[in-house]
Amino acid sequence: MAQVTPADRQALLNLILDVSFERKEVTLASGKTSNFYLDLRQTLMRPKGISLAGRLVLDRLQSGPTIDAVGGMAVGAVPLVSAVLAAAANDPANVGLLGFFVRKEAKKHGMGKQVEGGFKPGQSVALVEDTTTTGGSTLDALDLVEAAGGKVARVICLVDRGEGAQEAFAKRGVELEALFHREDLPI
């Protein structure tokens, strides 16, 4: 993998602020209201955004507990999981990294799985998310992965809105690792 630089981090933040950040009153998935909105899909659905996000998250995974797979709640985390796997494909040290996603409900057909992809019981995994507020959907994914026999060793998000997610994960014994924080936003 090409070396990640401070310029890469700044380029991702600049793109987030340019295409994903908006000052406006919104109701978030958590039910809270906010005076700003982050739509990280706008960043992750651009070549530069998906490339930078994947490389920066993979770089973060290089330090700390070793993981076997990276995943998250469908559909929000799927682009970021894919970005990390694409970055890993160019890195001999990470070419064996697997990806998965967690469904809100088990499929009613096929194998009826709720955790899909390269997940196997016993794996140590990292959950990823584009943005966190309270951490609710990723906490749901954590519960489902653990119920399926996985061990959640890491939780990484692109942007932590600073509204309780860090504390919620700490209560579960997992540190929330954010690439960017509320302080990085012009609010």
Side-chain angles (χ1 to χ4, degrees):
M1 180 175 77
Q3 180 71 27
V4 173
T5 67
D8 293 327
R9 184 180 185 284
Q10 188 62 51
L12 181 58
L13 179 59
N14 291 346
L15 186 59
I16 289 169
L17 295 176
D18 185 44
V19 302
S20 294
F21 176 81
E22 189 175 348
R23 281 191 192 96
K24 69 185 226 177
E25 191 76 22
V26 294
T27 301
L28 306 169
S30 65
K32 292 183 172 189
T33 58
S34 176
N35 63 352
F36 70 96
Y37 184 62
L38 282 167
D39 182 359
L40 274 288
R41 294 169 296 225
Q42 297 300 321
T43 295
L44 293 173
M45 292 297 158
R46 286 173 164 72
K48 185 173 185 163
I50 197 89
S51 176
L52 286 167
R55 289 178 48 232
L56 285 163
V57 172
L58 185 63
D59 183 67
R60 175 66 65 101
L61 289 171
Q62 303 307 308
S63 60
T66 303
I67 60 140
D68 304 306
V70 61
M73 189 61 86
V75 294
V78 172
L80 188 52
V81 169
S82 299
V84 173
L85 294 176
N90 297 316
D91 183 358
N94 291 292
V95 75
L97 185 65
L98 299 173
F100 66 93
F101 66 92
V102 180
R103 296 177 184 277
K104 290 184 193 267
E105 296 179 4
K107 285 185 357 179
K108 301 206 185 316
H109 59 283
M111 300 299 288
K113 290 182 177 182
Q114 202 160 1
V115 182
E116 296 275 5
F119 173 82
K120 295 180 184 102
Q123 286 178 326
S124 180
V125 306
L127 295 177
V128 297
E129 183 65 85
D130 55 2
T131 185
T132 59
T133 303
T134 64
S137 64
T138 303
L139 286 165
D140 290 345
L142 185 149
D143 290 338
L144 293 165
V145 166
E146 288 182 345
K151 162 75 172 93
V152 177
R154 319 268 305 261
V155 176
I156 300 173
C157 70
L158 295 182
V159 181
D160 177 16
R161 294 175 58 92
E163 297 181 34
Q166 187 172 14
E167 296 80 5
F169 284 107
K171 286 181 185 175
R172 296 296 303 273
V174 181
E175 177 187 358
L176 173 61
E177 303 173 51
L179 298 185
F180 303 103
H181 298 88
R182 184 181 195 94
E183 303 81 52
D184 295 307
L185 305 173
I187 54 174

